[in-house]
Amino acid sequence: MVTGVPLATPDSGDVAAAPDAASIKLQVSDLEIRYGGAVALQGVTLDVRENEIFGIIGPANAGKTSFLKAINRMDMFTPGMRVQGEIQFSGRDVRKLKNVYALRSRIGVVFPLPVGLPMTIYDNVALSPRLRGIKGKRELDIIVERCLTRAALWDEVKDRLSSLGSLLSGGQQQRLTIARALSQEPELLMLDEFSIAVDPVTTMRIEDVLKELRADMTILLVTNLVQQARRLADRTAFFLGGECVEIGTTEDLFTGEVSDQRTRDYVEGRFG
């Protein structure tokens, strides 16, 4: 069994105390994910704290996306995917929740390729608020503008909100997906390689927004861009070959002592 190994930290009065149970948003214990007979992830134990950006880095096929799917119970839609272990979200075991849709309403997810709903830009963002019972146009207008602004898209689409979202460019559709996720007012926002379809300038704008959003929600950021994790994440986990090799304060992971040489080799670009 392999678990994430917390980094050793120097003896310093600035080292934060371990979080109490009330400050933990997501707690994963001995997680194993299989696709048929193939193990995608095994023995993962970690916690994600309230109002932090928690980064997950690692090369392709390390198990990062499978980890997100397990949290959001997306194994229900993935033939052959089997999940074992415990995932506690806000103190409740997600595997035992009967109302999966209620769970997903509290967890916003943005995957690498945008999935635009076949409706207008406005309706893409207004859908979730409407499902929560918000009907007034004035209130919906405020929500739509706020979410599109947070996703760095408002200035580009404010004059064509009635156009189909599917007519936007790939990068714009990705940001529309982010806006739609934010319209849920999630407690946990999970982003899986959100910047693949987004240009560097817009990526930096969204990164600035994510730093602000940390005051309102917890963010789980999966990225192949190690420097993006370094810019954004409070703590980072390194996944490799279906294992969580190491977990630690992000800056320590990049500049301090590490428990596994593979971590240093990866963040310094020796493989990827």
Side-chain angles (χ1 to χ4, degrees):
M1 181 185 300
V2 181
T3 60
V5 181
L7 289 171
T9 54
D11 189 11
S12 167
D14 294 331
V15 176
D20 58 35
S23 71
I24 295 176
K25 192 65 178 177
L26 183 73
Q27 190 165 33
V28 177
S29 302
D30 200 19
L31 180 66
E32 180 177 292
I33 301 174
R34 291 177 176 267
Y35 294 91
V39 176
L41 208 57
Q42 63 179 351
V44 174
T45 296
L46 57 81
D47 62 71
V48 179
R49 300 166 189 169
E50 291 268 12
N51 302 109
E52 80 167 336
I53 299 178
F54 187 93
I56 301 178
I57 59 174
N61 300 315
K64 306 185 301 296
T65 297
S66 294
F67 181 74
L68 299 189
K69 288 183 176 180
I71 293 170
N72 213 32
R73 295 284 301 275
M74 294 189 70
D75 53 295
M76 296 173 61
F77 306 115
T78 308
M81 183 177 176
R82 297 291 180 267
V83 179
Q84 292 182 310
E86 187 174 66
I87 302 172
Q88 294 267 348
F89 174 64
S90 291
R92 301 188 67 185
D93 188 341
V94 303
R95 313 302 305 172
K96 297 179 180 178
L97 292 176
K98 294 181 179 179
N99 191 339
V100 177
Y101 299 101
L103 170 71
R104 294 191 184 122
S105 72
R106 299 165 63 194
I107 301 175
V109 187
V110 178
F111 286 113
L113 297 178
V115 181
L117 299 177
M119 53 183 65
T120 68
I121 296 168
Y122 185 99
D123 288 339
N124 260 272
V125 183
L127 176 62
S128 182
R130 284 173 173 152
L131 291 174
R132 296 200 305 272
I134 299 173
K135 304 299 182 184
K137 187 177 185 305
R138 181 177 177 82
E139 187 173 2
L140 287 171
D141 287 349
I142 292 171
I143 292 171
V144 169
E145 180 175 351
R146 181 177 69 242
C147 293
L148 288 171
T149 298
R150 283 177 155 184
L153 187 57
W154 173 253
D155 288 340
E156 297 172 36
V157 302
K158 61 184 178 183
D159 297 322
R160 48 183 174 136
L161 296 176
S162 59
S163 299
L164 285 173
S166 58
L167 297 180
L168 295 173
S169 70
Q172 289 173 326
Q173 287 190 54
Q174 181 68 304
R175 284 177 280 157
L176 180 61
T177 304
I178 294 173
R180 194 169 69 236
L182 292 176
S183 75
Q184 298 174 215
E185 297 184 357
E187 299 171 34
L188 173 65
L189 179 62
M190 303 195 301
L191 300 117
D192 187 4
E193 306 291 353
F194 79 87
S195 57
I196 283 180
V198 183
D199 65 89
V201 173
T202 302
T203 294
M204 296 301 292
R205 289 168 62 192
I206 296 174
E207 287 183 6
D208 289 339
V209 168
L210 293 178
K211 293 173 187 176
E212 296 174 5
L213 289 174
R214 177 171 46 194
D216 301 319
M217 64 190 69
T218 301
I219 298 173
L220 191 52
L221 175 71
V222 166
T223 179
N224 282 335
L225 306 175
V226 294
Q227 292 304 318
Q228 184 173 74
R230 187 174 185 179
R231 289 192 298 269
L232 291 176
D234 300 293
R235 292 185 302 137
T236 297
F238 170 47
F239 282 21
L240 178 66
E243 304 174 5
C244 180
V245 174
E246 194 151 3
I247 304 168
T249 301
T250 299
E251 198 57 27
D252 286 345
L253 204 71
F254 281 85
T255 63
E257 293 296 323
V258 294
S259 300
D260 193 302
Q261 183 58 38
R262 291 175 297 175
T263 306
R264 174 67 61 231
D265 290 344
Y266 182 76
V267 300
E268 292 183 353
R270 296 191 180 99
F271 71 95

Coordinates of all heavy atoms in Angstrom, one line a residue, residues 16 19 23-27 46-56 187-191 210-221 232-237 247-250:
A16 N 2.8 25.9 10.2 CA 1.4 25.9 10.7 C 1.1 24.6 11.4 O 1.6 23.6 11.1 CB 0.5 26.1 9.5
P19 N -4.2 20.9 10.8 CA -5.6 21.3 10.8 C -6.5 20.5 11.7 O -6.3 19.3 11.8 CB -6.0 21.2 9.3 CG -5.2 20.1 8.8 CD -3.9 20.2 9.5
S23 N -11.7 22.0 9.8 CA -11.1 22.7 8.7 C -10.8 21.8 7.5 O -10.3 22.3 6.5 CB -9.8 23.4 9.1 OG -8.8 22.4 9.3
I24 N -11.1 20.6 7.5 CA -10.9 19.6 6.4 C -12.1 19.5 5.6 O -13.2 19.1 6.1 CB -10.4 18.3 6.9 CG1 -9.1 18.4 7.6 CG2 -10.3 17.3 5.8 CD1 -8.6 17.1 8.3
K25 N -12.0 19.9 4.3 CA -13.2 19.8 3.4 C -13.3 18.4 2.7 O -14.4 17.9 2.5 CB -13.0 20.9 2.3 CG -14.3 21.1 1.5 CD -15.4 21.7 2.3 CE -16.6 21.9 1.6 NZ -17.7 22.4 2.5
L26 N -12.2 17.9 2.4 CA -12.2 16.6 1.7 C -11.1 15.7 2.3 O -10.0 16.1 2.5 CB -11.8 16.8 0.2 CG -11.8 15.6 -0.7 CD1 -13.3 15.1 -0.9 CD2 -11.1 15.9 -2.0
Q27 N -11.5 14.5 2.7 CA -10.6 13.5 3.3 C -10.7 12.2 2.6 O -11.8 11.6 2.5 CB -10.9 13.4 4.8 CG -9.8 12.6 5.6 CD -10.0 12.7 7.1 OE1 -11.1 12.9 7.6 NE2 -8.8 12.8 7.8
L46 N -5.1 11.3 1.7 CA -4.8 12.8 1.8 C -6.0 13.5 2.2 O -7.1 13.0 2.3 CB -4.3 13.3 0.4 CG -5.2 13.1 -0.8 CD1 -6.2 14.2 -0.9 CD2 -4.3 13.2 -2.1
D47 N -5.8 14.8 2.6 CA -6.9 15.7 2.9 C -6.7 17.0 2.2 O -5.6 17.4 1.9 CB -7.0 15.9 4.5 CG -5.8 16.6 5.1 OD1 -5.6 17.8 4.8 OD2 -5.0 15.9 5.8
V48 N -7.8 17.6 2.0 CA -7.9 19.0 1.3 C -8.6 19.9 2.3 O -9.7 19.6 2.8 CB -8.6 18.9 0.0 CG1 -8.6 20.3 -0.6 CG2 -7.9 18.0 -1.0
R49 N -8.0 21.0 2.6 CA -8.5 21.9 3.7 C -9.5 22.9 3.1 O -9.5 23.3 1.9 CB -7.4 22.6 4.4 CG -6.4 21.6 5.1 CD -5.1 22.2 5.5 NE -4.2 21.2 5.9 CZ -2.9 21.4 6.1 NH1 -2.4 22.6 6.0 NH2 -2.1 20.4 6.5
E50 N -10.3 23.4 4.0 CA -11.2 24.5 3.6 C -10.5 25.7 3.1 O -9.4 26.1 3.6 CB -12.0 25.0 4.9 CG -13.0 24.0 5.4 CD -14.4 24.2 4.8 OE1 -14.5 24.9 3.8 OE2 -15.4 23.5 5.3
N51 N -11.0 26.3 2.0 CA -10.5 27.5 1.4 C -9.0 27.5 1.1 O -8.2 28.4 1.3 CB -10.7 28.7 2.4 CG -12.2 28.8 2.6 OD1 -12.7 28.6 3.7 ND2 -13.0 29.3 1.6
E52 N -8.5 26.3 0.6 CA -7.2 26.2 0.1 C -7.2 25.8 -1.4 O -8.2 25.3 -1.9 CB -6.3 25.3 0.9 CG -6.5 23.8 0.5 CD -5.4 22.9 1.1 OE1 -4.2 23.4 1.4 OE2 -5.6 21.7 1.3
I53 N -6.2 26.1 -2.1 CA -6.0 25.6 -3.5 C -5.1 24.4 -3.3 O -3.9 24.6 -2.9 CB -5.5 26.6 -4.4 CG1 -6.4 27.8 -4.6 CG2 -5.2 26.0 -5.8 CD1 -5.9 28.9 -5.5
F54 N -5.6 23.2 -3.6 CA -4.8 22.0 -3.5 C -4.4 21.5 -4.9 O -5.3 21.2 -5.7 CB -5.5 20.9 -2.7 CG -4.7 19.7 -2.4 CD1 -4.1 19.6 -1.2 CD2 -4.6 18.7 -3.3 CE1 -3.3 18.5 -0.8 CE2 -3.9 17.5 -3.0 CZ -3.2 17.4 -1.8
G55 N -3.1 21.5 -5.2 CA -2.7 21.1 -6.5 C -2.4 19.6 -6.6 O -1.9 19.0 -5.6
I56 N -2.6 19.0 -7.7 CA -2.2 17.7 -8.0 C -1.4 17.7 -9.3 O -2.0 18.1 -10.3 CB -3.4 16.7 -8.1 CG1 -4.2 16.7 -6.8 CG2 -2.9 15.3 -8.4 CD1 -5.4 15.8 -6.8
E187 N -19.1 24.4 -3.2 CA -18.2 24.5 -2.1 C -16.8 24.0 -2.5 O -15.8 24.4 -1.9 CB -18.8 23.5 -1.0 CG -20.1 23.9 -0.4 CD -20.7 22.9 0.5 OE1 -19.9 22.2 1.2 OE2 -21.9 22.7 0.5
L188 N -16.8 23.1 -3.5 CA -15.5 22.6 -4.0 C -15.5 22.7 -5.5 O -16.4 22.3 -6.2 CB -15.3 21.1 -3.6 CG -14.1 20.4 -4.2 CD1 -12.8 20.9 -3.7 CD2 -14.2 18.9 -3.9
L189 N -14.5 23.4 -6.0 CA -14.3 23.5 -7.5 C -13.1 22.7 -7.9 O -12.0 22.9 -7.4 CB -14.1 25.0 -7.8 CG -13.9 25.3 -9.3 CD1 -15.1 24.9 -10.1 CD2 -13.5 26.8 -9.5
M190 N -13.4 21.7 -8.8 CA -12.3 20.9 -9.3 C -12.0 21.2 -10.7 O -12.9 21.2 -11.6 CB -12.7 19.4 -9.2 CG -13.1 19.0 -7.8 SD -13.2 17.2 -7.5 CE -14.4 16.7 -8.7
L191 N -10.7 21.5 -11.0 CA -10.3 21.9 -12.4 C -9.3 20.9 -12.9 O -8.2 20.7 -12.2 CB -9.8 23.3 -12.4 CG -10.7 24.4 -11.9 CD1 -10.2 25.1 -10.7 CD2 -11.0 25.4 -13.0
L210 N -8.9 32.6 -9.6 CA -8.9 31.4 -8.7 C -8.3 31.8 -7.4 O -8.8 31.3 -6.3 CB -8.1 30.3 -9.3 CG -8.6 29.6 -10.6 CD1 -7.7 28.5 -11.1 CD2 -10.0 29.0 -10.3
K211 N -7.3 32.7 -7.4 CA -6.8 33.1 -6.1 C -7.8 33.9 -5.3 O -7.9 33.7 -4.0 CB -5.6 34.0 -6.3 CG -4.4 33.3 -6.9 CD -3.3 34.3 -7.3 CE -2.1 33.6 -8.0 NZ -1.1 34.6 -8.5
E212 N -8.7 34.6 -6.0 CA -9.7 35.4 -5.3 C -10.8 34.4 -4.8 O -11.4 34.6 -3.7 CB -10.3 36.4 -6.2 CG -9.4 37.5 -6.6 CD -10.0 38.4 -7.6 OE1 -11.2 38.3 -8.0 OE2 -9.2 39.3 -8.1
L213 N -11.1 33.4 -5.6 CA -12.2 32.4 -5.3 C -11.9 31.6 -4.1 O -12.8 31.1 -3.4 CB -12.5 31.5 -6.5 CG -13.2 32.1 -7.7 CD1 -13.2 31.1 -8.8 CD2 -14.5 32.6 -7.3
R214 N -10.6 31.5 -3.7 CA -10.2 30.7 -2.6 C -10.9 31.2 -1.3 O -11.1 30.4 -0.4 CB -8.7 30.8 -2.4 CG -8.1 30.0 -1.2 CD -6.6 30.0 -1.3 NE -6.0 31.2 -1.6 CZ -4.8 31.4 -2.0 NH1 -4.0 30.3 -2.1 NH2 -4.3 32.6 -2.3
A215 N -11.3 32.5 -1.2 CA -11.9 33.0 -0.1 C -13.3 32.5 0.1 O -13.9 32.4 1.2 CB -12.0 34.5 -0.1
D216 N -13.9 32.0 -1.0 CA -15.3 31.5 -1.0 C -15.5 30.0 -1.1 O -16.6 29.5 -0.9 CB -16.1 32.2 -2.2 CG -16.1 33.7 -2.1 OD1 -16.2 34.2 -1.0 OD2 -15.9 34.3 -3.2
M217 N -14.4 29.3 -1.6 CA -14.6 27.9 -1.8 C -13.2 27.2 -1.7 O -12.2 27.8 -1.7 CB -15.2 27.6 -3.2 CG -14.4 28.1 -4.3 SD -15.2 28.0 -5.9 CE -16.4 29.4 -5.7
T218 N -13.2 25.9 -1.7 CA -12.0 25.1 -1.8 C -11.8 24.7 -3.3 O -12.7 24.4 -4.0 CB -12.2 23.8 -1.0 OG1 -12.4 24.2 0.4 CG2 -10.9 23.0 -1.0
I219 N -10.5 24.7 -3.7 CA -10.2 24.5 -5.1 C -9.2 23.3 -5.2 O -8.2 23.3 -4.5 CB -9.7 25.7 -5.8 CG1 -10.7 26.8 -5.8 CG2 -9.2 25.4 -7.2 CD1 -10.2 28.2 -6.3
L220 N -9.6 22.3 -6.0 CA -8.7 21.2 -6.3 C -8.3 21.3 -7.8 O -9.1 21.3 -8.7 CB -9.5 19.9 -6.1 CG -8.8 18.6 -6.1 CD1 -7.6 18.6 -5.1 CD2 -9.7 17.4 -5.8
L221 N -7.0 21.6 -7.9 CA -6.4 21.9 -9.2 C -5.5 20.8 -9.7 O -4.4 20.6 -9.2 CB -5.6 23.2 -9.1 CG -4.8 23.7 -10.4 CD1 -5.8 24.1 -11.5 CD2 -3.9 24.8 -10.0
L232 N -0.1 28.7 -7.9 CA -1.5 28.8 -7.3 C -1.7 28.0 -6.0 O -2.4 28.4 -5.2 CB -2.5 28.3 -8.4 CG -2.8 29.1 -9.6 CD1 -3.7 28.4 -10.5 CD2 -3.3 30.4 -9.2
A233 N -1.1 26.8 -6.0 CA -1.5 25.9 -4.9 C -0.8 26.2 -3.6 O 0.4 26.6 -3.5 CB -1.1 24.5 -5.3
D234 N -1.6 26.1 -2.5 CA -1.1 26.2 -1.1 C -0.3 24.9 -0.8 O 0.8 25.0 -0.3 CB -2.2 26.3 -0.1 CG -3.0 27.6 -0.4 OD1 -2.5 28.7 -0.3 OD2 -4.2 27.5 -0.8
R235 N -0.9 23.8 -1.1 CA -0.2 22.5 -1.0 C -0.3 21.7 -2.3 O -1.3 21.9 -3.0 CB -0.7 21.7 0.2 CG -0.5 22.3 1.6 CD -1.0 21.4 2.7 NE -2.4 21.1 2.6 CZ -3.0 19.9 2.8 NH1 -2.2 18.9 3.0 NH2 -4.3 19.8 2.6
T236 N 0.6 20.8 -2.5 CA 0.5 20.0 -3.8 C 0.9 18.5 -3.5 O 1.7 18.2 -2.6 CB 1.6 20.6 -4.7 OG1 1.2 21.9 -5.1 CG2 1.6 19.8 -6.0
A237 N 0.1 17.7 -4.2 CA 0.4 16.2 -4.2 C 1.0 15.8 -5.6 O 0.6 16.4 -6.6 CB -0.9 15.5 -3.9
I247 N 3.2 14.6 -0.7 CA 2.3 15.7 -0.4 C 3.1 16.7 0.4 O 3.8 16.3 1.4 CB 1.1 15.3 0.3 CG1 0.3 14.2 -0.4 CG2 0.1 16.5 0.5 CD1 -0.8 13.5 0.4
G248 N 3.0 18.0 0.1 CA 3.6 19.0 1.0 C 3.2 20.4 0.6 O 2.6 20.6 -0.4
T249 N 3.7 21.3 1.4 CA 3.5 22.7 1.1 C 4.2 23.0 -0.3 O 5.3 22.5 -0.5 CB 4.2 23.6 2.1 OG1 3.6 23.3 3.4 CG2 4.1 25.1 1.8
T250 N 3.5 23.7 -1.2 CA 4.0 23.7 -2.6 C 5.4 24.3 -2.7 O 6.2 23.7 -3.4 CB 3.0 24.6 -3.4 OG1 1.7 24.0 -3.4 CG2 3.5 24.7 -4.8

